[in-house]
Amino acid sequence: GGIITQTPKFLIGQEGQKLTLKCQQNFNHDTMYWYRQDSGKGLRLIYYSITENDLQKGDLSEGYDASREKKSSFSLTVTSAQKNEMAVFLCASSPTGGAAEQFFGPGTRLTVL
Amino acid sequence: GDSVTQTEGPVTLSEGTSLTVNCSYETKQYPTLFWYVQYPGEGPQLLFKVPKANEKGSNRGFEATYNKEATSFHLQKASVQESDSAVYYCALGPDTNAYKVIFGKGTHLHVLP
């Protein structure tokens, strides 16, 4: 088996601040995802990557950047934190594409003061 | 575009009663359908998936049938337990993009002892 680790577990920032969330997986999966989870809105895709150094925008990419410098890691940057984007950010990985199971990390909860 | 609609929560049941969480979908593709479950403080995890129409998936007493004609994938359990309290997500993948999965908004289930 494998595991997905997300750091930090809780992230507190000031409005306008640039913040980075990190994700590591040891499944050796090719595809990785970042989702934003808001209460009552489900999971919305921010970015995904199908291999090292690949980046693809999801439906909610505005205000975010991503980086996949290694196969095992995928980071997400909030370019200018806003109070209305307090949410849980979930990282996931998958061996292939959309018909395969996704394995999720425990999430990073973002609070913006 | 593709979409998933599921029962709005929260759903509150007493232990031992039956559960149905409705899930309907729209797509022009031939997707795999998923049910994920998310326990407090954790990321979602796969409950089961069904890749083919008219087949049934099941796990831990939960089951759902991929009904292509009705475009439905309703989750059922005959007798819920307090430990089933969680958020349940219906999902379809892939959509027109081979790597994307569309998640429903989630249904929060509370089971009272």
Side-chain angles (χ1 to χ4, degrees):
Chain A
I3 192 168
I4 294 188
T5 305
Q6 291 188 239
T7 55
K9 191 171 175 63
F10 300 96
L11 181 57
I12 301 174
Q14 301 289 329
E15 200 165 24
Q17 192 176 359
K18 184 175 175 180
L19 301 167
T20 298
L21 294 71
K22 294 186 184 296
C23 175
Q24 296 264 353
Q25 55 100 355
N26 64 0
F27 289 100
N28 200 33
H29 286 165
D30 287 316
T31 309
M32 295 187 74
Y33 302 83
W34 275 108
Y35 292 94
R36 177 173 152 173
Q37 183 177 40
D38 297 90
S39 179
K41 293 186 180 178
L43 306 178
R44 293 184 287 173
L45 182 64
I46 306 172
Y47 266 96
Y48 67 101
S49 167
I50 64 174
T51 190
E52 185 178 325
N53 293 318
D54 174 75
L55 295 173
Q56 306 284 340
K57 292 183 178 181
D59 302 317
L60 206 64
S61 62
E62 189 170 334
Y64 302 95
D65 286 330
S67 173
R68 181 110 183 258
E69 294 177 357
K70 293 191 302 183
K71 186 176 182 179
S72 61
S73 65
F74 193 29
S75 62
L76 180 72
T77 297
V78 182
T79 56
S80 177
Q82 303 298 315
K83 288 192 176 180
N84 64 2
E85 66 187 329
M86 291 196 291
V88 174
F89 291 81
L90 292 166
C91 176
S93 72
S94 173
T96 55
E101 176 181 359
Q102 292 190 18
F103 295 82
F104 286 84
T108 292
R109 181 174 291 278
L110 173 64
T111 300
V112 182
L113 302 176
Chain B
D2 294 359
S3 66
V4 174
T5 303
Q6 60 180 101
T7 301
E8 281 195 31
V11 173
T12 303
L13 297 173
S14 297
E15 215 168 28
T17 58
S18 64
L19 168 73
T20 298
V21 179
N22 289 332
C23 173
S24 299
Y25 65 91
E26 289 187 24
T27 182
K28 294 182 180 178
Q29 309 301 313
Y30 297 91
T32 294
L33 298 179
F34 304 82
W35 277 104
Y36 282 85
V37 58
Q38 184 178 24
Y39 299 103
E42 299 180 10
Q45 57 185 268
L46 182 69
L47 190 54
F48 54 83
K49 70 174 187 178
V50 180
K52 289 184 181 177
N54 303 319
E55 293 191 350
K56 179 163 44 176
S58 63
N59 188 17
R60 304 186 216 169
F62 291 90
E63 62 181 33
T65 299
Y66 185 156
N67 188 326
K68 187 170 182 293
E69 288 69 35
T71 62
S72 68
F73 191 52
H74 305 319
L75 181 68
Q76 296 180 310
K77 188 174 187 184
S79 175
V80 295
Q81 301 173 335
E82 192 177 359
S83 57
D84 294 327
S85 298
V87 180
Y88 293 83
Y89 289 97
C90 183
L92 73 84
D95 70 353
T96 51
N97 177 303
Y99 292 89
K100 288 176 70 175
V101 174
I102 306 297
F103 286 87
K105 293 185 178 181
T107 301
H108 202 156
L109 171 66
H110 295 281
V111 180
L112 304 175

